[in-house]
Amino acid sequence: MSPAAALATTAAVAPHGFLSPTGVEIAFLLVGLVTFGAALVTVTTRQLVHAALWLVVTLGGLAVEYLLLTAEFIAWMQVLIYVGSVVVLLLFGLMLTKAPIGRSPDADSANRWAALAVAVAAAAALVWVVVDAFRTTWIDLGGAPSGSTKVTGASLFQNWVLPFEALSVLLLAALVGAIVLSRKAKADAATATTGTPAVPGSRSEREGVR
Amino acid sequence: MTTTTLAVLVPLLPFLGAAAGLLLGRTAPGFVRPLAVLPTFAAFVLAVLVAARQGGGRAVDSATEFTPTGSVPIELALHIDGFAALVAVLVGLVALCVQIYSTGYLRDDPRYPSYAALVSLFTSAMLLVVYSGDLIVLLVGWEVMGICSYFLVGHYWETPEARAASIKAFLVTKLGDVPFLIGLFALGTDASSFRITKILGTVAGGGLHHPTLIALLLLAGVAGKSAQFPLHTWLPDAMAGPTPVSALIHAATMVAAGIYFIARLLPVFQASSAAMVVLAVMAAVTMAGSGFAALAQDDIKRVLAYSTIGQLGYMTGALAVGERGAAVFHLLSHGAFKALLFLAAGVIIHAAGTNSLAAMSRMKDLRARVPDAYWTMTVALLALAAIPPFAGFFSKESVLGAAEHVATGHTEHAPGAAGWIVLLVGLFTALLTASYATRLWLLAFRGHGAEAPDHGKQPRAMNAVLWVLAVPSLAFGLAYGVLPDWFDSRDLTPTLITSVLGTGLALVGGLVTYGAWRHTTALAGRIPLGAVAAHPEADAGLVEAEAIASHEPAYGEVAYAHDPADPGRLLLGPLHRHAAVGFHLDAVYDALFVRPVRAGASLVRFLDREVVETYVRGAGALPRLLGAAVRRAQTGNVQTYVSALLAGTVVLAVAALLVATGA
Amino acid sequence: MHLVYPAVLAVLLFSTGLYGVLARRNAILVLMSVELMLNAVNLNLVAFDVWLNRAARETLHSGQALTLFTIAIAAAEIGIGLAIVLAVHRNRGTSDIDRLRDTAEGHESDAPEAEKAEATA
């Protein structure tokens, strides 16, 4: 982190020009391009399993961005949960719903042109707003790290205890719900083992943030 | 109790009986017969008492203001003079006889309670008309009678004839009642009161502004109610109702109401000599036409119906020559013998199982089955034909005598032309009357052929009443000496010339008919005809309903039968075909009124359906189109929905931004 | 670092996820796109949290806390979502969003198709 921090302090001292890139920013930009590109492929590729894999790249890229933003705890959580379990779940889902391997010609619905229009319009509007609003805002990346595990943990268990507990209840509810939903009807309960379809779901709930 | 109180009770008691009957008919069927007979009996007794007290002297007059109307007041008024007193006695007597007769006639009828209540209500309304001293109160009674007639004629509403006849009766009389109402209003406005005494006073003082117009308007109502030409077409068809109803309403009382009305307000009519001539012409046409028509009818009751029309024509004729005493005399005696004729006809229909004279003329010994009806009907027919010394002779002679008096110019209160018209046509009608009376008697009682069916003994109630009414039919005429005191009129003694002429013509008519009958009766045996409704156990009402319903299927016509053995056919010659359908007056009305109204109705229905409906449907079409268009957006595809949602959100966000940044 | 960089990247990721939600046919691909959108939001939260923390305007670390919560919720959501997709696939034999048109105008609800036997889990 020190080269980045050193670069950051130099940048902080020097007067800022609009979008005058420091090293961090260049790194951020490059990783951002990769991330965005991978996201684009995810939503456009015809091969369903490849989409999941490109999603891994996207999520991984985001983890790097978190690191660049000095939010290291978040970055590791991202990798653990998103890349580790969510993507696995998605792959299991693809497998269990017998998604076609290889190209499937009907991966995109007939709605895609309207979707494209809406997405482009939304992107344009939001980019314009954001750029216009934060023209003169810089993040100060130097100083004491605010994203370390110690700091995050202290803040979480001092200020965010109630939402934390509520979140655990939510996770319990999601666990129960997933089990209930994926049970087969009672007629088939005798033939198939109960609860097995819920195993992948329950495993993900165990990977809660603790 | 004062005479006024008694007089108020006379119409009130049957009204209460009617109300009680209508309310309790279903819940307490045991009380229905007493509720029908007792109030009517009480009303009759009280009417006799009132007449006795009034005695032809000063009129009983009393009034209370009913409601302040702001202009011409309406008063609950009584005016009982000699006319009112005697007519009320007649109404009470006939109503009582009819109620007693009905207990036997409609013995098993499920609708008897409402029938009896309606007859009581009718009786009350007629008594109201008779006793009333205020024209609006009279009008109330007039209209209530009309609606009761509608209900009662339609008693056998299972038969289409009854349904059609009741509506026809109602509509034709209403057609006359509208001008009648206008005339009443004009009269009331001119006299600034509806009290009869005040109106007569205004007329005497020359206060009527348009006497001819008022008289003609009132005549329209009278023509409808009393079945005079041209509004008489409803009465023969109204025979589709039960016979006691025909006896009460269409012989003795309701149709007499018009005559009574003119008698009450005769000065109003006399104020316009044009109206009197119109009245005379109306009477003449009615008398002659109905006489011919009666000769051609096959249904026994239709013969009697046309006979009623003709006899009412006599009364109208007497009024046309300004002699109301004679008119009311004839009204009273006609009421008695015509009611008797109808009631006896009811017994005969029950016994024979048919109302067709053609069928009866092919039955032997019908008279042995119904001896009471045979003898009383003979008496009544002799009275009808005006053979001395029966009641009809004296009353008809009083009419003809009055006509002769006017015709020979002995009076200035009526035009001489009217007198001649009434006299000549009246004499001719006497011939026709005797003719059809003889025909009726011969065909019904002197038939040849198969033995008449035995339908059991007639109920005692029905037979007893016949004898009760036979007494005045026989003897009432002898009252000609006392009646002028009641009527404030000239002498009602029969004059020699008219008596001889009248009786002679009647005898001629009877003999000619007898001759024709002898000639044609041989054919009866060779040509069988007729349908008989055989219901040995059923009450008379049911038999009659079946007979009415089966007449058209059996003979092809409602009114007459193609019977070569009918002496009427021989007598009328080429006129028979036209007389049988009432000289096509029904067809004329059908073309003039019924068809245009029906065409108008179908035009309106067409316009409503094609024009108005189209607009309405068109107004609905646009929202329906819009709805269909909106429904097409419900594709079920979630992505479409969300796309639309987000597109809208983006638009809103951009708009908000633009507004916020002041662009 | 200029705040624009993470913010714009977040916007672009969000829009991409938006396109994927609206355009993809398979339900699981839609879920993937939803994950993209959630991640974009997370990036935003983190960037703003870092900025405001260093600018000493906020000491609660609310952005990072909320990011953690979002991750947890996303995980729960993906579990439920996949259970639903599996149930639908079991009942209808397809997981195409296009075919799930029960809310369409005039749609007659299908009789549940025969459940397919699941091979192991």
mmCIF file of all heavy atoms in Angstrom, chain A residues 25 42 45 59 66 78 82 107-109 135 137 139-142 144 155 182 184 188, chain C residues 1-3 15-16 23-25 29 35 39 42 51 54 60 74 80 90 115 118:
data_model
loop_
_atom_site.group_PDB
_atom_site.id
_atom_site.type_symbol
_atom_site.label_atom_id
_atom_site.label_comp_id
_atom_site.label_asym_id
_atom_site.label_seq_id
_atom_site.Cartn_x
_atom_site.Cartn_y
_atom_site.Cartn_z
ATOM 1 N N GLU A 25 -4.957 6.504 -9.393
ATOM 2 C CA GLU A 25 -6.062 6.693 -10.330
ATOM 3 C C GLU A 25 -5.831 5.901 -11.605
ATOM 4 O O GLU A 25 -6.752 5.331 -12.169
ATOM 5 C CB GLU A 25 -6.205 8.183 -10.640
ATOM 6 C CG GLU A 25 -6.821 8.935 -9.483
ATOM 7 C CD GLU A 25 -6.857 10.416 -9.760
ATOM 8 O OE1 GLU A 25 -6.234 10.860 -10.765
ATOM 9 O OE2 GLU A 25 -7.533 11.150 -9.015
ATOM 10 N N THR A 42 -20.372 -10.405 -19.594
ATOM 11 C CA THR A 42 -21.327 -11.191 -18.823
ATOM 12 C C THR A 42 -22.748 -11.024 -19.341
ATOM 13 O O THR A 42 -23.495 -11.994 -19.465
ATOM 14 C CB THR A 42 -21.297 -10.778 -17.333
ATOM 15 O OG1 THR A 42 -19.961 -10.833 -16.859
ATOM 16 C CG2 THR A 42 -22.196 -11.675 -16.512
ATOM 17 N N THR A 45 -22.773 -12.308 -23.506
ATOM 18 C CA THR A 45 -22.343 -13.569 -24.096
ATOM 19 C C THR A 45 -23.499 -14.542 -24.216
ATOM 20 O O THR A 45 -24.459 -14.514 -23.453
ATOM 21 C CB THR A 45 -21.230 -14.196 -23.248
ATOM 22 O OG1 THR A 45 -20.853 -15.425 -23.883
ATOM 23 C CG2 THR A 45 -21.727 -14.508 -21.856
ATOM 24 N N LEU A 59 -16.326 -9.527 -10.497
ATOM 25 C CA LEU A 59 -16.328 -9.410 -9.045
ATOM 26 C C LEU A 59 -14.904 -9.320 -8.496
ATOM 27 O O LEU A 59 -14.627 -8.559 -7.548
ATOM 28 C CB LEU A 59 -17.074 -10.589 -8.433
ATOM 29 C CG LEU A 59 -18.565 -10.673 -8.820
ATOM 30 C CD1 LEU A 59 -19.188 -11.949 -8.331
ATOM 31 C CD2 LEU A 59 -19.299 -9.476 -8.266
ATOM 32 N N TYR A 66 -11.647 -2.237 -4.465
ATOM 33 C CA TYR A 66 -11.834 -1.964 -3.037
ATOM 34 C C TYR A 66 -10.477 -1.807 -2.353
ATOM 35 O O TYR A 66 -10.273 -0.932 -1.516
ATOM 36 C CB TYR A 66 -12.621 -3.085 -2.355
ATOM 37 C CG TYR A 66 -14.080 -3.145 -2.742
ATOM 38 C CD1 TYR A 66 -14.731 -4.369 -2.801
ATOM 39 C CD2 TYR A 66 -14.793 -2.002 -3.037
ATOM 40 C CE1 TYR A 66 -16.063 -4.446 -3.150
ATOM 41 C CE2 TYR A 66 -16.118 -2.071 -3.397
ATOM 42 C CZ TYR A 66 -16.771 -3.303 -3.452
ATOM 43 O OH TYR A 66 -18.070 -3.361 -3.802
ATOM 44 N N GLN A 78 -15.651 -9.484 -0.176
ATOM 45 C CA GLN A 78 -16.129 -9.596 -1.556
ATOM 46 C C GLN A 78 -15.661 -10.905 -2.161
ATOM 47 O O GLN A 78 -16.450 -11.662 -2.741
ATOM 48 C CB GLN A 78 -15.581 -8.394 -2.369
ATOM 49 C CG GLN A 78 -15.795 -8.486 -3.866
ATOM 50 C CD GLN A 78 -17.075 -7.844 -4.298
ATOM 51 O OE1 GLN A 78 -17.913 -7.480 -3.473
ATOM 52 N NE2 GLN A 78 -17.261 -7.684 -5.587
ATOM 53 N N TYR A 82 -18.804 -13.250 -2.476
ATOM 54 C CA TYR A 82 -19.280 -13.157 -3.848
ATOM 55 C C TYR A 82 -18.616 -14.177 -4.739
ATOM 56 O O TYR A 82 -19.273 -15.033 -5.327
ATOM 57 C CB TYR A 82 -19.045 -11.746 -4.400
ATOM 58 C CG TYR A 82 -20.251 -10.859 -4.291
ATOM 59 C CD1 TYR A 82 -20.242 -9.748 -3.470
ATOM 60 C CD2 TYR A 82 -21.402 -11.173 -4.999
ATOM 61 C CE1 TYR A 82 -21.359 -8.948 -3.390
ATOM 62 C CE2 TYR A 82 -22.523 -10.388 -4.898
ATOM 63 C CZ TYR A 82 -22.500 -9.266 -4.089
ATOM 64 O OH TYR A 82 -23.614 -8.491 -4.010
ATOM 65 N N ALA A 107 -30.297 -16.645 -25.796
ATOM 66 C CA ALA A 107 -29.931 -16.146 -24.478
ATOM 67 C C ALA A 107 -30.517 -14.764 -24.220
ATOM 68 O O ALA A 107 -30.713 -14.382 -23.073
ATOM 69 C CB ALA A 107 -28.409 -16.092 -24.356
ATOM 70 N N ASP A 108 -30.737 -14.015 -25.289
ATOM 71 C CA ASP A 108 -31.313 -12.671 -25.126
ATOM 72 C C ASP A 108 -32.780 -12.686 -25.516
ATOM 73 O O ASP A 108 -33.158 -13.274 -26.527
ATOM 74 C CB ASP A 108 -30.579 -11.670 -26.021
ATOM 75 C CG ASP A 108 -29.205 -11.353 -25.470
ATOM 76 O OD1 ASP A 108 -29.038 -11.436 -24.239
ATOM 77 O OD2 ASP A 108 -28.308 -11.056 -26.267
ATOM 78 N N SER A 109 -33.577 -12.006 -24.754
ATOM 79 C CA SER A 109 -35.008 -11.979 -25.084
ATOM 80 C C SER A 109 -35.283 -10.907 -26.134
ATOM 81 O O SER A 109 -34.398 -10.152 -26.514
ATOM 82 C CB SER A 109 -35.834 -11.685 -23.833
ATOM 83 O OG SER A 109 -35.684 -10.324 -23.510
ATOM 84 N N ARG A 135 -17.366 17.325 -9.544
ATOM 85 C CA ARG A 135 -16.269 17.856 -10.360
ATOM 86 C C ARG A 135 -15.020 18.166 -9.510
ATOM 87 O O ARG A 135 -13.886 17.991 -9.925
ATOM 88 C CB ARG A 135 -16.754 19.139 -11.025
ATOM 89 C CG ARG A 135 -16.297 19.351 -12.408
ATOM 90 C CD ARG A 135 -16.998 20.610 -12.934
ATOM 91 N NE ARG A 135 -18.065 20.224 -13.836
ATOM 92 C CZ ARG A 135 -17.846 19.904 -15.120
ATOM 93 N NH1 ARG A 135 -16.635 19.927 -15.614
ATOM 94 N NH2 ARG A 135 -18.836 19.566 -15.882
ATOM 95 N N THR A 137 -14.257 17.094 -6.320
ATOM 96 C CA THR A 137 -14.149 16.314 -5.093
ATOM 97 C C THR A 137 -13.025 15.294 -5.217
ATOM 98 O O THR A 137 -12.987 14.543 -6.180
ATOM 99 C CB THR A 137 -15.472 15.568 -4.845
ATOM 100 O OG1 THR A 137 -16.557 16.422 -5.156
ATOM 101 C CG2 THR A 137 -15.587 15.105 -3.419
ATOM 102 N N ILE A 139 -10.848 12.223 -3.136
ATOM 103 C CA ILE A 139 -10.752 11.377 -1.949
ATOM 104 C C ILE A 139 -9.313 11.464 -1.444
ATOM 105 O O ILE A 139 -8.367 11.341 -2.208
ATOM 106 C CB ILE A 139 -11.096 9.916 -2.289
ATOM 107 C CG1 ILE A 139 -12.499 9.831 -2.966
ATOM 108 C CG2 ILE A 139 -11.069 9.056 -1.042
ATOM 109 C CD1 ILE A 139 -12.834 8.456 -3.410
ATOM 110 N N ASP A 140 -9.211 11.627 -0.165
ATOM 111 C CA ASP A 140 -7.873 11.641 0.436
ATOM 112 C C ASP A 140 -7.556 10.232 0.882
ATOM 113 O O ASP A 140 -8.119 9.725 1.855
ATOM 114 C CB ASP A 140 -7.880 12.613 1.627
ATOM 115 C CG ASP A 140 -6.520 12.710 2.269
ATOM 116 O OD1 ASP A 140 -5.539 12.273 1.653
ATOM 117 O OD2 ASP A 140 -6.473 13.230 3.398
ATOM 118 N N LEU A 141 -6.646 9.593 0.138
ATOM 119 C CA LEU A 141 -6.394 8.187 0.444
ATOM 120 C C LEU A 141 -5.282 8.006 1.474
ATOM 121 O O LEU A 141 -4.987 6.900 1.894
ATOM 122 C CB LEU A 141 -6.013 7.435 -0.836
ATOM 123 C CG LEU A 141 -7.204 7.192 -1.769
ATOM 124 C CD1 LEU A 141 -6.712 6.606 -3.078
ATOM 125 C CD2 LEU A 141 -8.195 6.267 -1.116
ATOM 126 N N GLY A 142 -4.641 9.074 1.891
ATOM 127 C CA GLY A 142 -3.562 8.934 2.884
ATOM 128 C C GLY A 142 -4.162 8.816 4.279
ATOM 129 O O GLY A 142 -5.370 8.688 4.460
ATOM 130 N N ALA A 144 -4.627 7.488 8.314
ATOM 131 C CA ALA A 144 -4.890 6.201 8.975
ATOM 132 C C ALA A 144 -5.873 5.387 8.138
ATOM 133 O O ALA A 144 -6.859 5.908 7.635
ATOM 134 C CB ALA A 144 -5.467 6.458 10.379
ATOM 135 N N SER A 155 -16.039 -0.470 14.657
ATOM 136 C CA SER A 155 -17.193 0.374 14.275
ATOM 137 C C SER A 155 -18.468 -0.449 14.212
ATOM 138 O O SER A 155 -19.533 -0.035 14.675
ATOM 139 C CB SER A 155 -16.903 1.010 12.916
ATOM 140 O OG SER A 155 -18.102 1.495 12.366
ATOM 141 N N SER A 182 -37.392 -25.145 -1.816
ATOM 142 C CA SER A 182 -36.805 -26.161 -2.679
ATOM 143 C C SER A 182 -37.182 -27.564 -2.283
ATOM 144 O O SER A 182 -36.734 -28.523 -2.868
ATOM 145 C CB SER A 182 -35.289 -26.000 -2.696
ATOM 146 O OG SER A 182 -34.827 -25.678 -1.409
ATOM 147 N N LYS A 184 -39.461 -30.798 -2.350
ATOM 148 C CA LYS A 184 -40.371 -31.325 -3.353
ATOM 149 C C LYS A 184 -41.734 -31.509 -2.716
ATOM 150 O O LYS A 184 -41.877 -31.470 -1.510
ATOM 151 C CB LYS A 184 -39.854 -32.683 -3.845
ATOM 152 C CG LYS A 184 -38.672 -32.568 -4.741
ATOM 153 C CD LYS A 184 -38.402 -33.909 -5.408
ATOM 154 C CE LYS A 184 -37.030 -33.892 -6.044
ATOM 155 N NZ LYS A 184 -36.685 -35.167 -6.627
ATOM 156 N N ASP A 188 -43.689 -36.901 -3.495
ATOM 157 C CA ASP A 188 -42.383 -37.432 -3.877
ATOM 158 C C ASP A 188 -41.428 -37.498 -2.702
ATOM 159 O O ASP A 188 -40.297 -37.913 -2.848
ATOM 160 C CB ASP A 188 -41.749 -36.542 -4.957
ATOM 161 C CG ASP A 188 -42.527 -36.663 -6.246
ATOM 162 O OD1 ASP A 188 -43.182 -37.692 -6.444
ATOM 163 O OD2 ASP A 188 -42.484 -35.706 -7.037
ATOM 164 N N MET C 1 -7.615 10.679 -4.883
ATOM 165 C CA MET C 1 -8.226 10.201 -6.115
ATOM 166 C C MET C 1 -9.484 10.996 -6.362
ATOM 167 O O MET C 1 -10.262 11.267 -5.448
ATOM 168 C CB MET C 1 -8.540 8.714 -5.979
ATOM 169 C CG MET C 1 -9.258 8.176 -7.192
ATOM 170 S SD MET C 1 -9.919 6.537 -7.037
ATOM 171 C CE MET C 1 -8.603 5.634 -6.333
ATOM 172 N N HIS C 2 -9.625 11.322 -7.629
ATOM 173 C CA HIS C 2 -10.862 12.057 -7.977
ATOM 174 C C HIS C 2 -12.051 11.133 -7.746
ATOM 175 O O HIS C 2 -12.033 9.973 -8.118
ATOM 176 C CB HIS C 2 -10.774 12.487 -9.442
ATOM 177 C CG HIS C 2 -11.637 13.647 -9.754
ATOM 178 N ND1 HIS C 2 -12.969 13.526 -9.971
ATOM 179 C CD2 HIS C 2 -11.335 14.967 -9.882
ATOM 180 C CE1 HIS C 2 -13.477 14.716 -10.229
ATOM 181 N NE2 HIS C 2 -12.513 15.613 -10.177
ATOM 182 N N LEU C 3 -13.043 11.664 -7.144
ATOM 183 C CA LEU C 3 -14.205 10.845 -6.793
ATOM 184 C C LEU C 3 -14.956 10.381 -8.019
ATOM 185 O O LEU C 3 -15.711 9.406 -7.983
ATOM 186 C CB LEU C 3 -15.119 11.680 -5.878
ATOM 187 C CG LEU C 3 -16.329 10.950 -5.276
ATOM 188 C CD1 LEU C 3 -15.912 9.692 -4.553
ATOM 189 C CD2 LEU C 3 -17.070 11.872 -4.344
ATOM 190 N N SER C 15 -25.525 0.340 -15.003
ATOM 191 C CA SER C 15 -26.252 0.331 -16.278
ATOM 192 C C SER C 15 -26.092 -0.997 -16.978
ATOM 193 O O SER C 15 -27.028 -1.503 -17.601
ATOM 194 C CB SER C 15 -25.759 1.458 -17.179
ATOM 195 O OG SER C 15 -25.806 2.680 -16.501
ATOM 196 N N THR C 16 -24.898 -1.552 -16.894
ATOM 197 C CA THR C 16 -24.710 -2.864 -17.514
ATOM 198 C C THR C 16 -25.605 -3.897 -16.860
ATOM 199 O O THR C 16 -26.263 -4.711 -17.526
ATOM 200 C CB THR C 16 -23.240 -3.293 -17.357
ATOM 201 O OG1 THR C 16 -22.390 -2.205 -17.693
ATOM 202 C CG2 THR C 16 -22.953 -4.465 -18.257
ATOM 203 N N ALA C 23 -32.676 -7.632 -20.486
ATOM 204 C CA ALA C 23 -32.493 -8.244 -21.806
ATOM 205 C C ALA C 23 -32.265 -9.740 -21.774
ATOM 206 O O ALA C 23 -32.462 -10.400 -22.783
ATOM 207 C CB ALA C 23 -31.330 -7.569 -22.527
ATOM 208 N N ARG C 24 -31.857 -10.295 -20.644
ATOM 209 C CA ARG C 24 -31.489 -11.706 -20.652
ATOM 210 C C ARG C 24 -32.707 -12.579 -20.487
ATOM 211 O O ARG C 24 -33.649 -12.255 -19.787
ATOM 212 C CB ARG C 24 -30.498 -12.002 -19.523
ATOM 213 C CG ARG C 24 -29.196 -11.305 -19.690
ATOM 214 C CD ARG C 24 -28.506 -11.680 -20.960
ATOM 215 N NE ARG C 24 -27.212 -12.287 -20.692
ATOM 216 C CZ ARG C 24 -26.472 -12.891 -21.616
ATOM 217 N NH1 ARG C 24 -26.907 -13.012 -22.837
ATOM 218 N NH2 ARG C 24 -25.305 -13.406 -21.273
ATOM 219 N N ARG C 25 -32.654 -13.736 -21.111
ATOM 220 C CA ARG C 25 -33.822 -14.591 -21.124
ATOM 221 C C ARG C 25 -33.812 -15.580 -19.960
ATOM 222 O O ARG C 25 -34.817 -15.846 -19.342
ATOM 223 C CB ARG C 25 -33.869 -15.355 -22.442
ATOM 224 C CG ARG C 25 -35.132 -16.165 -22.574
ATOM 225 C CD ARG C 25 -35.304 -16.648 -23.977
ATOM 226 N NE ARG C 25 -35.775 -15.559 -24.816
ATOM 227 C CZ ARG C 25 -36.057 -15.686 -26.101
ATOM 228 N NH1 ARG C 25 -35.870 -16.812 -26.702
ATOM 229 N NH2 ARG C 25 -36.485 -14.667 -26.801
ATOM 230 N N LEU C 29 -29.353 -15.830 -15.499
ATOM 231 C CA LEU C 29 -28.586 -14.708 -16.014
ATOM 232 C C LEU C 29 -29.134 -13.401 -15.471
ATOM 233 O O LEU C 29 -28.385 -12.450 -15.223
ATOM 234 C CB LEU C 29 -28.638 -14.714 -17.548
ATOM 235 C CG LEU C 29 -27.919 -15.899 -18.173
ATOM 236 C CD1 LEU C 29 -28.095 -15.874 -19.678
ATOM 237 C CD2 LEU C 29 -26.440 -15.889 -17.808
ATOM 238 N N GLU C 35 -26.813 -9.121 -9.405
ATOM 239 C CA GLU C 35 -25.583 -9.066 -8.604
ATOM 240 C C GLU C 35 -24.686 -7.943 -9.062
ATOM 241 O O GLU C 35 -24.059 -7.248 -8.238
ATOM 242 C CB GLU C 35 -24.846 -10.401 -8.686
ATOM 243 C CG GLU C 35 -25.557 -11.540 -8.017
ATOM 244 C CD GLU C 35 -25.861 -11.254 -6.557
ATOM 245 O OE1 GLU C 35 -24.989 -10.674 -5.863
ATOM 246 O OE2 GLU C 35 -26.984 -11.554 -6.115
ATOM 247 N N ASN C 39 -23.377 -4.870 -6.788
ATOM 248 C CA ASN C 39 -21.953 -4.563 -6.643
ATOM 249 C C ASN C 39 -21.644 -3.127 -6.991
ATOM 250 O O ASN C 39 -20.786 -2.487 -6.358
ATOM 251 C CB ASN C 39 -21.138 -5.499 -7.523
ATOM 252 C CG ASN C 39 -20.867 -6.783 -6.799
ATOM 253 O OD1 ASN C 39 -20.030 -6.810 -5.875
ATOM 254 N ND2 ASN C 39 -21.548 -7.846 -7.144
ATOM 255 N N ASN C 42 -22.431 -1.188 -4.071
ATOM 256 C CA ASN C 42 -21.404 -1.366 -3.032
ATOM 257 C C ASN C 42 -20.199 -0.490 -3.301
ATOM 258 O O ASN C 42 -19.637 0.136 -2.373
ATOM 259 C CB ASN C 42 -20.958 -2.838 -2.990
ATOM 260 C CG ASN C 42 -21.962 -3.682 -2.251
ATOM 261 O OD1 ASN C 42 -22.852 -3.155 -1.612
ATOM 262 N ND2 ASN C 42 -21.794 -4.979 -2.319
ATOM 263 N N TRP C 51 -14.186 8.702 1.223
ATOM 264 C CA TRP C 51 -14.076 10.150 1.032
ATOM 265 C C TRP C 51 -14.530 10.898 2.278
ATOM 266 O O TRP C 51 -13.832 11.770 2.788
ATOM 267 C CB TRP C 51 -14.929 10.537 -0.182
ATOM 268 C CG TRP C 51 -15.162 12.014 -0.318
ATOM 269 C CD1 TRP C 51 -14.215 13.002 -0.237
ATOM 270 C CD2 TRP C 51 -16.413 12.643 -0.518
ATOM 271 N NE1 TRP C 51 -14.803 14.240 -0.399
ATOM 272 C CE2 TRP C 51 -16.180 14.033 -0.566
ATOM 273 C CE3 TRP C 51 -17.722 12.201 -0.692
ATOM 274 C CZ2 TRP C 51 -17.206 14.962 -0.770
ATOM 275 C CZ3 TRP C 51 -18.723 13.145 -0.879
ATOM 276 C CH2 TRP C 51 -18.459 14.510 -0.921
ATOM 277 N N ARG C 54 -12.206 10.360 5.416
ATOM 278 C CA ARG C 54 -10.978 11.155 5.376
ATOM 279 C C ARG C 54 -11.279 12.621 5.477
ATOM 280 O O ARG C 54 -10.484 13.385 6.017
ATOM 281 C CB ARG C 54 -10.197 10.868 4.070
ATOM 282 C CG ARG C 54 -9.654 9.470 4.020
ATOM 283 C CD ARG C 54 -8.655 9.251 5.156
ATOM 284 N NE ARG C 54 -8.430 7.843 5.396
ATOM 285 C CZ ARG C 54 -7.660 7.064 4.617
ATOM 286 N NH1 ARG C 54 -7.057 7.542 3.569
ATOM 287 N NH2 ARG C 54 -7.533 5.784 4.930
ATOM 288 N N LEU C 60 -18.813 7.214 11.431
ATOM 289 C CA LEU C 60 -19.519 5.978 11.740
ATOM 290 C C LEU C 60 -19.144 4.849 10.789
ATOM 291 O O LEU C 60 -19.589 3.741 10.959
ATOM 292 C CB LEU C 60 -21.038 6.196 11.637
ATOM 293 C CG LEU C 60 -21.686 6.793 12.880
ATOM 294 C CD1 LEU C 60 -23.183 6.935 12.627
ATOM 295 C CD2 LEU C 60 -21.458 5.904 14.072
ATOM 296 N N ALA C 74 -27.242 -9.705 -0.278
ATOM 297 C CA ALA C 74 -27.138 -10.244 -1.632
ATOM 298 C C ALA C 74 -26.972 -11.745 -1.594
ATOM 299 O O ALA C 74 -27.568 -12.467 -2.407
ATOM 300 C CB ALA C 74 -25.984 -9.584 -2.375
ATOM 301 N N ILE C 80 -32.286 -17.515 -1.996
ATOM 302 C CA ILE C 80 -33.731 -17.608 -2.214
ATOM 303 C C ILE C 80 -34.050 -17.592 -3.699
ATOM 304 O O ILE C 80 -34.875 -18.375 -4.199
ATOM 305 C CB ILE C 80 -34.440 -16.439 -1.520
ATOM 306 C CG1 ILE C 80 -34.210 -16.490 -0.034
ATOM 307 C CG2 ILE C 80 -35.923 -16.466 -1.836
ATOM 308 C CD1 ILE C 80 -35.104 -17.417 0.694
ATOM 309 N N ARG C 90 -38.646 -26.858 -11.918
ATOM 310 C CA ARG C 90 -39.239 -28.159 -11.636
ATOM 311 C C ARG C 90 -40.679 -28.199 -12.120
ATOM 312 O O ARG C 90 -41.152 -29.186 -12.664
ATOM 313 C CB ARG C 90 -39.182 -28.422 -10.137
ATOM 314 C CG ARG C 90 -39.004 -29.878 -9.784
ATOM 315 C CD ARG C 90 -39.087 -30.071 -8.300
ATOM 316 N NE ARG C 90 -37.906 -29.596 -7.605
ATOM 317 C CZ ARG C 90 -37.927 -29.059 -6.384
ATOM 318 N NH1 ARG C 90 -39.063 -28.895 -5.757
ATOM 319 N NH2 ARG C 90 -36.807 -28.688 -5.802
ATOM 320 N N GLU C 115 -43.904 -33.234 -11.991
ATOM 321 C CA GLU C 115 -42.618 -32.832 -11.391
ATOM 322 C C GLU C 115 -41.521 -33.735 -11.908
ATOM 323 O O GLU C 115 -41.661 -34.953 -11.985
ATOM 324 C CB GLU C 115 -42.719 -32.924 -9.880
ATOM 325 C CG GLU C 115 -43.666 -31.880 -9.339
ATOM 326 C CD GLU C 115 -43.809 -31.997 -7.831
ATOM 327 O OE1 GLU C 115 -43.266 -32.963 -7.276
ATOM 328 O OE2 GLU C 115 -44.464 -31.145 -7.256
ATOM 329 N N GLU C 118 -35.543 -34.976 -9.435
ATOM 330 C CA GLU C 118 -34.233 -34.293 -9.377
ATOM 331 C C GLU C 118 -33.133 -35.331 -9.210
ATOM 332 O O GLU C 118 -33.221 -36.226 -8.382
ATOM 333 C CB GLU C 118 -34.201 -33.344 -8.180
ATOM 334 C CG GLU C 118 -35.023 -32.099 -8.399
ATOM 335 C CD GLU C 118 -34.362 -31.176 -9.406
ATOM 336 O OE1 GLU C 118 -33.115 -31.185 -9.498
ATOM 337 O OE2 GLU C 118 -35.092 -30.457 -10.089
#
